[in-house]
Amino acid sequence: MDKTDHAIVRHLMADGRLPNNELADRVGLSPSPCLRRVRALEADGVITGYHASVDPAALGRGLGVLLHVEMADQRSEVIEAFENTALGLDDVVSCRRMFGAPDYLMQIAVPDMVAYEQLYMTELTRMPGVARTNSQFAMKTVKTTPGHHW
């Protein structure tokens, strides 16, 4: 990736709906070469998609929870079963396998504390291989950067 590709990515991260002609102007290209570069960045997996940024509360998911999960069993079949279960839970926004403790870090979005308790008791603690969990609730979001997955 060269300087122009980085500029394209930076502008699209800030505004994924930016029209190609305006993007081309901002990065100093004509529209056709700009579009070719965008398509190449998509084909190479640099640009993985375009998404709307939404307010979770407006979607009825106003409570965000970070759940630390420690596994009791590290066998590959247990890990695979845990991850497959996580994939099937709509309230799990992301699930990351970590190096070190915890074994997994999950982001969960639910309507409220009652919904989280129900999810926690009926699904999360019953996932394959779970030994311990620790729930954390953010007081305030200080910063999020559009387009970043971490």
Side-chain angles (χ1 to χ4, degrees):
M1 282 185 40
D2 64 13
K3 185 174 119 179
T4 303
D5 289 335
H6 281 281
I8 288 170
V9 170
R10 187 176 58 255
H11 285 292
L12 288 175
M13 285 174 60
D15 182 0
R17 296 183 65 175
L18 193 62
N20 183 60
N21 59 343
E22 191 173 331
L23 176 62
D25 285 344
R26 290 184 186 187
V27 299
L29 294 173
S30 61
S32 291
C34 183
L35 186 58
R36 279 195 296 275
R37 282 180 178 251
V38 169
R39 297 292 182 245
L41 291 165
E42 292 168 348
D44 292 344
V46 175
I47 297 173
T48 59
Y50 300 89
H51 311 280
S53 180
V54 298
D55 177 6
L59 299 177
R61 293 174 172 248
L63 179 65
V65 182
L66 288 176
L67 181 66
H68 296 232
V69 178
E70 293 182 27
M71 302 295 286
D73 192 335
Q74 301 289 331
R75 290 177 296 148
S76 61
E77 60 270 16
V78 175
I79 296 298
E80 186 176 319
F82 175 89
E83 291 177 3
N84 285 333
T85 301
L87 287 169
L89 296 174
D90 290 337
D91 294 327
V92 175
V93 176
S94 73
C95 179
R96 292 178 167 81
R97 188 182 326 160
M98 308 299 286
F99 282 105
D103 295 307
Y104 287 92
L105 180 59
M106 301 173 86
Q107 287 179 279
I108 298 165
V110 290
D112 53 32
M113 189 63 77
V114 172
Y116 180 64
E117 181 185 11
Q118 182 178 5
L119 176 70
Y120 183 84
M121 296 305 292
T122 62
E123 301 285 346
L124 299 173
T125 58
R126 296 180 182 180
M127 293 175 73
V130 172
R132 283 175 295 288
T133 63
N134 181 30
S135 301
Q136 293 184 310
F137 305 89
M139 281 191 277
K140 166 180 154 180
T141 299
V142 176
K143 178 182 178 182
T144 59
T145 303
H148 286 275
H149 294 288
W150 184 245

